[in-house]
Amino acid sequence: MKVLVPVKRVVDYNVKVRVKSDGTGVDIANVKMSMNPFDEIALEEATRLKEAGKVTEVVAVSAGVAQCQETLRTGMAIGADRGILIETGVELEPLAVAKLLKAVADKEQPQLIILGKQAIDDDSNQVGQMLAALLGWPQATFASKVELGDGKVTVTREVDGGLETVALQLPAIVTTDLRLNEPRYVTLPNIMKAKKKPLDTVKPEELGVDVTPRLKTLKVAEPAKRSAGIKVPDVATLVSKLRTEAKVI
Amino acid sequence: MVALVIAEHDNASLKGSTLHTVTAAAKCAGEVHVLVAGSNAGAAAAAAAKIAGVTKVLHADAAHFADGLAENISEQILAIAGGYTHILAPATAYGKNILPRVAAKLDVAQISEITKVDAPDTFERPIYAGNAIAYVQSSDKVKVITVRTTGFDAAAEGGSAAVETVAAAADFGKSAFVGREVAKSDRPELTAAKIIVSGGRGMGSADAFKVLEPLADKLNAAMGASRAAVDAGFVPNDWQVGQTGKIVAPSLYIAVGISGAIQHLAGMKDSKVIVAVNKDPEAPIFSVADYGIVGDLFEIVPQLVKELG
């Protein structure tokens, strides 16, 4: 059984981004880029399923600029068998990504697609659900446990107030939450091996997908700054300030 | 222009998130309808009809809506979507799960976690863990939106909308609900609490969280945690406040032993007043805290309880 894992190249999660002074976006020139953390978890899960003998092939796919190749190589160092890059300079919205992934899924015919629950740059949390809808497949979002059975997958999901378990008929979509697993570190030998794994490049036009953005970003601004606070010397002062100044207790 | 709000409910009653979403919807369109899709959910539909500003409640009842499976609820939304200019759901696990399916089927972009409505087609939403605010304009014929509940006040009671029964969409059939494990708590719900007492890695152990309990009791506060505390296994993960956990905006947020990583700040920096208790005077949390106190939490928290009387 084949598993498809979409991965996204994003600004590294440790970087504190700055808004450009002209308000056109955030400044990501010369900033460290990495694989979206939720996608690492997705790849780790797919690789573990392969190691458990339940999956025969793991295919990583990424959409975006040429440098997404690096993200795919990282994915192959974690455990993907091959990579597919959908190369475009257009800034892709989740709907466009979902359509591109549908085209790849139609061709590759995976039984399971594991995605991260959200990318830490646009914080949309949409692609997995949209892809499930376009393919007409069932979905299990925010997964913290995945059990692959015969013709079905049982997934425990993190929901507000606790956990929920659903059973889906394959083929299906799963999106990962943080606690699904602890992704492995990529080792140097695996990085070297990953360089030899196949990486195909396609264009959105070849897949017949229109990726024109639907939303217009009018501007990007800094969030409202909190006014500087004070340090209080003792608990009594703190309580009196909360009572009389802030009036919150 | 008419907006449709997807109600989050447990069949017996509405979740608070629905009320915040109605407020956002009223800013988008002149008229607001609410869809209650559930199983024996008459009580939830009746509650929706009492929300001020709601003019109609559409009630779809079927056994396969009982557990809010995204596949089934989204089919129901699509069945009635015609005629609406805006479709909104709360940006909770429930709404986030369902709405992108609807957007994809309608072939429109979804706008996630809006915090403000600037115009019926223009919205503000945080990106990069809340480090930037994007102002986005949609030219799609239907605006499909999830609403960050802390960005909007809860709609009041006082409405008297008509409840109309609509035909239930068919069961999608490829997914099944197996079970639910609800974390038990007598405290207020995290996202709705007026005061939150939150602990981080600085707590040191699961047992140490007990030191926060008397404080939470005294303030009738919900208890929260940073991702570090959750990952260390001190507390269950539904306590997590942050970009990947819950987004909260209480009137008072007390951060104890929390350094203040970007990921955590994204979940709580819209709180009205933030208090930080940390032994490290350089901790980033002090840059957002209105009141900070430097010291050992195991001394300060009990003192605080005592001082509150």
Side-chain angles (χ1 to χ4, degrees), chain B residues 264-304:
Chain B
H264 185 73
L265 299 184
M268 48 64 86
K269 68 184 171 57
D270 292 326
S271 304
K272 186 161 168 265
V273 173
I274 298 173
V275 169
V277 179
N278 206 300
K279 64 179 178 206
D280 175 9
E282 304 298 322
I285 190 79
F286 287 116
S287 68
V288 300
D290 299 274
Y291 303 106
I293 185 156
V294 179
D296 182 357
L297 68 95
F298 294 100
E299 287 166 21
I300 289 169
V301 173
Q303 276 177 35
L304 200 48

Side-chain angles (χ1 to χ4, degrees), chain A residues 11 13-19 26 28 37-38 41 93-95 98-99 117-142 144 154 156-171 177-179 214-224 226-243 245-249, chain B residues 8 67-71 92-94 96-98 100-105 107-113 122 125-140 172-183 189 195 219 227 230-231 237-238 240 243-246 251-252 254 262-263 268-275 277 281-282 286-294 299-300 303-304 307-309:
Chain A
V11 170
Y13 71 98
N14 283 312
V15 173
K16 188 168 177 358
V17 295
R18 295 199 185 284
V19 173
V26 297
I28 57 166
F38 291 102
I41 294 170
E93 289 175 355
L95 182 62
K99 287 179 179 175
K117 80 164 174 182
Q118 77 187 58
I120 60 166
D121 51 1
D122 64 9
D123 285 334
S124 286
N125 196 330
Q126 298 174 10
V127 174
Q129 296 90 315
M130 286 182 155
L131 180 57
L134 296 177
L135 287 166
W137 292 4
Q139 69 183 45
T141 50
F142 326 142
S144 58
T154 306
T156 302
R157 308 176 52 231
E158 296 199 2
V159 296
D160 299 328
L163 300 169
E164 184 179 293
T165 304
V166 292
L168 312 179
Q169 278 177 30
L170 295 176
D177 215 321
L178 279 173
R179 270 156 294 271
R214 303 293 190 82
L215 298 174
K216 192 167 149 199
T217 301
L218 302 177
K219 66 168 175 174
V220 174
E222 293 262 358
R226 293 189 73 91
S227 51
I230 52 162
K231 286 200 178 116
V232 295
D234 54 49
V235 171
T237 318
L238 175 65
V239 170
S240 99
K241 290 222 178 267
L242 288 176
R243 283 210 171 108
E245 206 174 271
K247 298 190 176 68
V248 284
I249 53 172
Chain B
E8 180 176 9
D67 300 295
L69 289 174
E71 296 84 352
T92 54
Y94 179 84
K96 289 180 192 176
N97 191 31
I98 294 167
R101 279 189 88 98
V102 175
K105 285 285 184 69
D107 195 31
V108 302
Q110 180 188 285
I111 307 151
S112 293
E113 303 227 13
T122 308
R125 58 176 304 260
I127 53 174
Y128 287 92
N131 285 304
I133 306 295
Y135 293 67
V136 294
Q137 190 174 38
S138 164
S139 53
D140 283 323
F172 184 77
K174 293 178 191 168
S175 60
F177 180 81
V178 177
R180 184 172 286 136
E181 207 179 300
V182 180
E189 201 200 335
I195 300 180
L219 295 166
R227 184 181 157 192
V230 171
D231 282 352
N237 58 37
D238 53 309
Q240 185 187 322
Q243 184 189 18
T244 54
K246 296 209 169 78
S251 48
L252 175 60
I254 305 180
I262 298 175
Q263 197 274 345
M268 48 64 86
K269 68 184 171 57
D270 292 326
S271 304
K272 186 161 168 265
V273 173
I274 298 173
V275 169
V277 179
E282 304 298 322
F286 287 116
S287 68
V288 300
D290 299 274
Y291 303 106
I293 185 156
V294 179
E299 287 166 21
I300 289 169
Q303 276 177 35
L304 200 48
E307 192 71 30
L308 288 166

